[in-house]
Amino acid sequence: MIPRSADWKNALATAVRDPAELLALLELPREWLGGARQAARGFPLRVPRGYVARMAKGDPADPLLRQVLPLGLELEIVPGFVRDPVGDLNAATGPGVLQKYRARALLIATGACAIHCRYCFRRHFPYADENAGRNDWQPALTHLGAHPQIREVILSGGDPLLLDDGRLSELVEALGAVPHLERLRIHTRVPVVLPERVNEPLLALLETSRLQCVVVIHANHANELDAPVEQALRRLRQTGALLFNQSVLLKGVNDRADILGRLSEALLATGVVPYYLHLLDRVEGSAHFEVGEAEAKRLMVELRETLPGYMVPRLVREVEGAAFKLPLL
């Protein structure tokens, strides 16, 4: 039997990268291929085969497909859509360290992702320059140690769970040695798109860390939560970590109250709390996903009429320079 650590690396290595292959696997017409290949030159296609298997064949409107298929629409220049929509570069305070909020700092742990979501707000981010783990962790750790007001570190990227077990363990243990840190928050899409990554070394690391661990996953549609994903989420929860979900409101993916409701129901069934529903960060290339603020508020009112309050995510927008995510209701 192949060790689980090799399982997830193999699943990552064999991800679909060619738009022609994705269209063929899903039995979709090749008429989209020209625009898809053009868009993929600027932001490559990458989607694990297990995630592709959750898509409906022959359905160009499949909500999972829409999140990953490059389209010629991405090449259109739309006013107001920029390369750094939430001010990440202006928030850089150290090597791969972003600090937007008073007691929390974010580490860009890696530039790699298991899946390339077409609406990604960091699709233009200069990972080669702003990456805490580019050479070693020490400069970022020194920065954190010099700022005792920071009590929580957020691992982001890219996706921090694409660090291999040894590298991730090295980082988490080093963070645990910083005396004023209390919490470790991991922002990750990996349990949803590459559930094989939730292996025994990762679970042991979360369970034994001195820091209170919070895992914030990213799912936008209930169809993403198949049986392997549900199992991975339950195993994460058994470590004692708190699990939350962040979604992005996306036109043609989840811009209906019934779809959002089903997602909340599916999340809670696996022990994940619906946390945030973000309005789209207006990154260049993503305008075709945008849902207006008025429509978003209407959806939230409808959602509140059908779900108990603890299952309704907070509708928010991130604004550069704001001291917190701005609630819209």
Side-chain angles (χ1 to χ4, degrees):
M1 179 179 292
I2 299 174
R4 288 191 62 84
S5 60
D7 280 351
W8 75 264
K9 290 181 180 179
N10 181 66
L12 185 65
T14 58
V16 177
R17 298 170 182 266
D18 183 351
E21 183 182 9
L22 181 60
L23 293 175
L25 287 170
L26 296 172
E27 299 174 3
L28 292 169
R30 290 178 61 87
E31 63 191 52
W32 290 352
L33 186 55
R37 282 190 165 155
Q38 278 188 297
R41 290 191 191 105
F43 185 44
L45 169 70
R46 188 182 206 179
V47 54
R49 293 176 188 275
Y51 191 83
V52 175
R54 301 171 221 168
M55 301 176 189
K57 290 184 177 180
D59 182 5
D62 181 272
L64 277 59
L65 173 67
R66 285 185 59 83
Q67 295 180 59
V68 301
L69 179 66
L71 295 176
L73 291 169
E74 297 175 32
L75 305 174
E76 296 180 2
I77 302 300
V78 180
F81 285 78
V82 297
R83 297 177 72 85
D84 183 17
V86 296
D88 277 345
L89 296 179
N90 288 334
T93 58
V97 180
L98 308 183
Q99 189 160 6
K100 300 181 181 182
Y101 310 120
R102 183 176 302 168
R104 313 188 285 288
L106 183 147
L107 291 190
I108 300 291
T110 176
C113 278
I115 191 168
H116 289 174
C117 302
R118 309 313 299 179
Y119 52 87
C120 177
F121 71 100
R122 289 199 181 120
R123 57 184 288 167
H124 304 293
F125 190 81
Y127 288 110
D129 301 320
E130 298 292 337
N131 187 334
R134 184 174 66 250
N135 298 312
D136 64 74
W137 304 116
Q138 195 53 53
L141 293 166
T142 299
H143 178 87
L144 293 172
H147 293 82
Q149 78 275 17
I150 298 174
R151 299 194 302 276
E152 177 174 277
V153 169
I154 302 165
L155 299 187
S156 185
D159 196 305
L161 292 192
L162 285 197
L163 296 172
D164 66 27
D165 294 322
R167 189 93 166 112
L168 184 61
S169 178
E170 173 190 322
L171 175 57
V172 172
E173 289 175 8
L175 291 171
V178 179
H180 53 265
L181 293 181
E182 299 171 5
R183 293 180 301 279
L184 172 68
R185 193 186 335 165
I186 299 174
H187 281 207
T188 177
R189 190 137 159 78
V190 158
V192 175
V193 303
L194 195 72
E196 300 94 327
R197 175 64 182 98
V198 181
N199 59 8
E200 294 300 332
L202 172 61
L203 297 169
L205 179 62
L206 297 179
E207 192 167 18
T208 59
S209 175
R210 175 188 72 80
L211 303 171
Q212 168 66 61
C213 293
V214 180
V215 179
V216 182
I217 67 162
H218 175 185
N220 296 315
H221 197 283
N223 290 3
E224 294 179 290
L225 306 180
D226 65 357
V229 173
E230 291 173 357
Q231 181 185 22
L233 295 175
R234 289 193 178 98
R235 297 182 81 202
L236 285 170
R237 189 164 176 256
Q238 288 168 0
T239 67
L242 302 175
L243 268 62
F244 297 92
N245 181 66
Q246 294 190 119
S247 301
V248 181
L249 186 58
L250 301 167
K251 185 176 182 180
V253 174
N254 58 7
D255 55 336
R256 286 182 6 212
D258 62 321
I259 292 174
L260 293 170
R262 286 199 299 274
L263 174 59
S264 286
E265 297 272 8
L267 288 166
L268 203 70
T270 59
V272 181
V273 178
Y275 176 37
Y276 277 154
L277 177 63
H278 285 262
L279 285 192
L280 181 74
D281 293 320
R282 304 185 91 203
V283 66
E284 185 180 292
S286 71
H288 54 292
F289 285 115
E290 188 170 42
V291 178
E293 184 173 324
E295 175 63 10
K297 290 179 177 178
R298 187 196 66 76
L299 288 171
M300 292 304 293
V301 170
E302 190 176 344
L303 200 58
R304 285 179 168 184
E305 291 172 348
T306 58
L307 292 178
Y310 60 85
M311 293 179 67
V312 179
R314 305 172 197 173
L315 180 66
V316 295
R317 182 194 293 277
E318 183 168 354
V319 175
E320 181 177 359
F324 45 83
K325 301 283 195 317
L326 299 182
L328 298 178
L329 284 178

